[in-house]
Amino acid sequence: MIEVGLTGCIGSGKSTVAAALVRHGAVLLDADAIVADLQQPGSPTLEAMVAHFGPSILRPDGHLDRAAVAGIVFEDPQELAALNAIVHPAVRAEMAVRRGGLAGSEAVIVADIPLLAEAGPERRAGLAGIIVVDIDPEVAVQRLVAGRGLTAGEARSRLARQASRAERLKLADFVIDNNGTPVALEEQVARCWQWIASLEHPPASGETAG
């Protein structure tokens, strides 16, 4: 079993890259999908969130109103930290359970972790390498406006609350440039898959991949 981390800013196309790697044969551990699972009605994580933020974060059917949570935490660093303190330990525990189910196999695990750069060096533990999906921030803004219905101001505000492009690239063992066409992206993903395969035989000291 080998595991690599995958990260990128909001609007980078990271989910598209993750799906392409799955088509090549990877097993995906998607932190965002796990968060959604952990926040279902009746779950300990959702109950802890309601205890902290109040019932206004719930829709009438009892499900989480993600827009309501975003409206609270994106404007208040302390509330964002409180949310992370509730959610992140639960996500790490669930990822460990799912990872444990693959122990001893030949699986190639891609751990899709949006905030890998923000989480600190301890999150790199156990990863054979880190893939960063890179994009010009203004291109990301355009895609967020077109694809998610955000205003340009909202998109820039969310990008500003994440690690900088330079901070993310500093983590990278392999960079996928997603400023171009879908065809160019697929070609880079294919090269990335070859790089992942090479991690089973680590390069000599001083060599780099990417």
Side-chain angles (χ1 to χ4, degrees):
M1 184 179 79
I2 190 169
E3 181 174 354
V4 296
L6 174 67
T7 195
C9 70
I10 183 173
S12 66
K14 178 174 53 60
S15 295
T16 301
V17 170
L21 288 169
V22 168
R23 290 195 294 272
H24 280 278
V27 175
L28 181 64
L29 290 182
D30 185 336
D32 280 347
I34 290 172
V35 168
D37 289 345
L38 293 172
Q39 292 174 338
Q40 292 302 306
S43 68
T45 299
L46 184 57
E47 290 177 356
M49 290 175 62
V50 172
H52 179 82
F53 297 107
S56 65
I57 65 169
L58 297 178
R59 302 200 305 255
D61 63 3
H63 285 77
L64 181 66
D65 185 337
R66 300 185 188 283
V69 176
I72 296 169
V73 304
F74 281 123
E75 299 301 327
D76 189 328
Q78 290 185 334
E79 293 287 43
L80 179 59
L83 175 64
N84 290 342
I86 294 169
V87 173
H88 287 181
V91 173
R92 286 195 291 269
E94 180 61 24
M95 289 186 78
V97 169
R98 299 188 186 192
R99 186 182 296 114
L102 297 167
S105 73
E106 296 297 316
V108 173
I109 299 174
V110 173
D112 181 343
I113 307 173
L115 301 181
L116 184 59
E118 293 85 344
E122 69 278 0
R123 289 304 297 274
R124 185 171 183 132
L127 297 177
I130 293 176
I131 304 161
V132 170
V133 183
D134 182 49
I135 192 170
D136 183 292
E138 283 306 307
V139 175
V141 168
Q142 293 168 18
R143 293 179 181 176
L144 289 167
V145 169
R148 300 198 192 181
L150 299 178
T151 67
E154 288 170 339
R156 291 191 181 96
S157 177
R158 295 193 182 191
L159 283 165
R161 285 170 171 75
Q162 295 186 343
S164 70
R165 187 182 190 184
E167 289 169 334
R168 197 173 285 107
L169 287 172
K170 189 180 296 184
L171 286 179
D173 296 300
F174 193 103
V175 177
I176 293 179
D177 183 337
N178 194 20
N179 289 290
T181 66
V183 171
L185 181 63
E186 285 287 347
E187 292 172 349
Q188 291 186 75
V189 171
R191 290 197 296 272
C192 181
W193 185 250
Q194 293 175 342
W195 168 75
I196 292 172
S198 77
L199 294 176
E200 296 177 354
H201 305 284
S205 177
E207 292 183 3
T208 59

